Amino acid sequence: MVCAHSRVLLPWRHQQRPFSNNKILVEMDESTGVAVMKIKNPPVNSLRLELLTEFAISLEKLEIDRGCRGLILTSASPKIFSAGLDITEMCGKSTEHYEAFWRAVQEMWLKLFGSNMVTIAAVNGSSPAGGCLMSMCCDYRIMADNPKYAIGLNETQLGIVAPFWFKDTMMHIVGSRVTEQSLQLGQMYPAPAALKIGLVDQLVPEDKVQSTAAAVMAQWLSVPDHARQITKSMIRKPIIDRLVKQREADINNFVSFISKESIQKSLQVYMDRLKQKK
C-alpha cells in the first residue's frame, strides 16, 4: 500500500536520470532522449588518463541506452571547454603509462567520432589541442561569441606533432589547405575567425550556448535515426578505419616520439613556463 504523500520512483525511466563519475557529469532527459555531458576537471579540464577513461565509459553507457538519441558535450567550468591533453601525462612517465594514455585518447576519439547519437559541442570557452579535437568529433559546434575564446590544434607550438587522425578530423571539417596551415603554425582561432573558416558552425552569446544547443538538437532529431546514422557512418567510417587498422602502430609512434630526450625537454620547458604564470 502506498501513502498518498509518497512518490513511486521507477528504477530506470526518470524524467531526469543523472549518472556521473568524478570528472564527467551526465544528465539524461528521458522526455527528449538527450543527454548533457559536462567535463569537470578544474581548473582547465585537462584530459588526464582517468578523465578519458571515465569519458569512454559514460559515452558507452549512453550509446547502449536506446532511449538516448542525442548528446550535448560541454564544460562544467566557465571560460574553458578543455585545455586538451594533460602535459603531465606525457612527461617523465614510463613507456607503459604512455601506451595506456595514448590508447585512452584513441578510444575517446573512436567512440565520439563514431557515435550513432547526434552529438553537439556546446563550446563555452577556449578549446586548444585535445579540446578542439573533442569538439571536432561532434556533428555540430556552437561556440560562445567572445573573441577572448579561441579554438584550434596548437600542438606544434609545444614542439609536438598532431597525429594523422587529428589531421583527418580537421580536414573533414575545414578542408586540406586550412588544415595544413593550421597544423604547421599551431594556430588558435578566436571565435569569430573559427566561424569564418568553418571550424565552428555557430556563435551565440555566452548565456545562450546551452539553450541554442538544445534547439539545434531538436532540429537534428527530427530526421529519422536510421537514415541519419547510415549517412553519418558512410562519411566517417573510412576515416575511422584508418586508425583502427593502424592503432598499434600509432601507439608505438607516439611512445617513440614522446620518449625522445628533446621532446621531454621541450615539454618540461613548457610546464615550467606554466608554473611561472601561476
Side-chain angles (χ1 to χ4, degrees):
M1 187 172 177
V2 179
C3 171
H5 297 290
S6 69
R7 292 192 307 156
V8 178
L9 296 181
L10 298 177
W12 184 242
R13 292 295 175 192
H14 299 189
Q15 177 74 7
Q16 296 283 344
R17 175 163 48 82
F19 66 86
S20 303
N21 296 305
N22 291 329
K23 301 183 185 303
I24 301 293
L25 308 178
V26 181
E27 190 167 79
M28 172 73 186
D29 188 328
E30 299 294 350
S31 66
T32 61
V34 176
V36 176
M37 182 185 287
K38 293 182 179 180
I39 306 167
K40 186 182 180 183
N41 189 27
V44 294
N45 289 339
S46 295
L47 303 177
R48 296 184 61 81
L49 177 57
E50 179 189 2
L51 185 148
L52 290 166
T53 303
E54 289 183 7
F55 179 87
I57 292 169
S58 296
L59 195 58
E60 181 122 358
K61 285 181 180 178
L62 294 174
E63 205 74 55
I64 62 177
D65 183 346
R66 293 190 177 186
C68 186
R69 301 175 60 211
L71 171 68
I72 295 172
L73 179 63
T74 191
S75 166
S77 305
K79 300 181 181 179
I80 186 78
F81 180 75
S82 169
L85 304 183
D86 193 321
I87 300 297
T88 64
E89 297 279 25
M90 298 181 278
C91 194
K93 298 289 197 299
S94 67
T95 295
E96 291 75 20
H97 183 88
Y98 295 146
E99 289 175 354
F101 177 66
W102 199 245
R103 192 178 298 278
V105 177
Q106 291 177 334
E107 195 66 21
M108 175 272 289
W109 181 82
L110 288 167
K111 279 185 162 55
L112 188 55
F113 192 70
S115 174
N116 276 323
M117 296 180 286
V118 175
T119 53
I120 294 177
V123 184
N124 53 338
S126 288
S127 190
C132 177
L133 180 71
M134 287 184 96
S135 68
M136 290 194 303
C137 286
C138 295
D139 298 313
Y140 196 87
R141 283 157 293 284
I142 300 162
M143 190 169 183
D145 191 3
N146 186 333
K148 292 182 180 179
Y149 298 159
I151 185 171
L153 295 178
N154 63 335
E155 280 79 0
T156 53
Q157 294 283 348
L158 310 182
I160 56 180
V161 179
F164 71 88
W165 41 285
F166 282 48
K167 177 264 297 179
D168 288 349
T169 311
M170 195 171 199
M171 279 182 61
H172 170 69
I173 296 166
V174 298
S176 179
R177 176 62 188 135
V178 173
T179 298
E180 182 181 350
Q181 179 175 306
S182 299
L183 291 186
Q184 286 201 48
L185 296 176
Q187 283 183 310
M188 289 292 293
Y189 293 92
L195 179 67
K196 187 175 181 180
I197 67 167
L199 189 54
V200 299
D201 299 295
Q202 195 173 347
L203 297 184
V204 299
E206 211 158 332
D207 62 349
K208 303 288 185 187
V209 172
Q210 299 300 326
S211 59
T212 304
V216 170
M217 178 64 75
Q219 179 187 1
W220 279 68
L221 291 181
S222 68
V223 178
D225 285 344
H226 69 283
R228 182 195 56 74
Q229 288 167 355
I230 292 170
T231 302
K232 181 176 181 177
S233 177
M234 176 176 62
I235 295 167
R236 296 192 177 201
K237 190 175 184 299
I239 302 172
I240 292 168
D241 285 348
R242 281 196 69 198
L243 176 58
V244 171
K245 290 175 183 175
Q246 302 176 61
R247 191 167 184 182
E248 296 306 317
D250 181 65
I251 292 171
N252 292 336
N253 287 340
F254 170 77
V255 172
S256 175
F257 179 80
I258 214 69
S259 300
K260 289 180 180 176
E261 187 178 349
S262 60
I263 301 303
Q264 287 292 304
K265 284 183 178 178
S266 177
L267 292 175
Q268 190 61 56
V269 168
Y270 179 73
M271 285 169 59
D272 292 343
R273 207 182 309 149
L274 286 180
K275 288 176 184 175
Q276 289 170 8
K277 286 182 179 179
K278 289 182 180 178

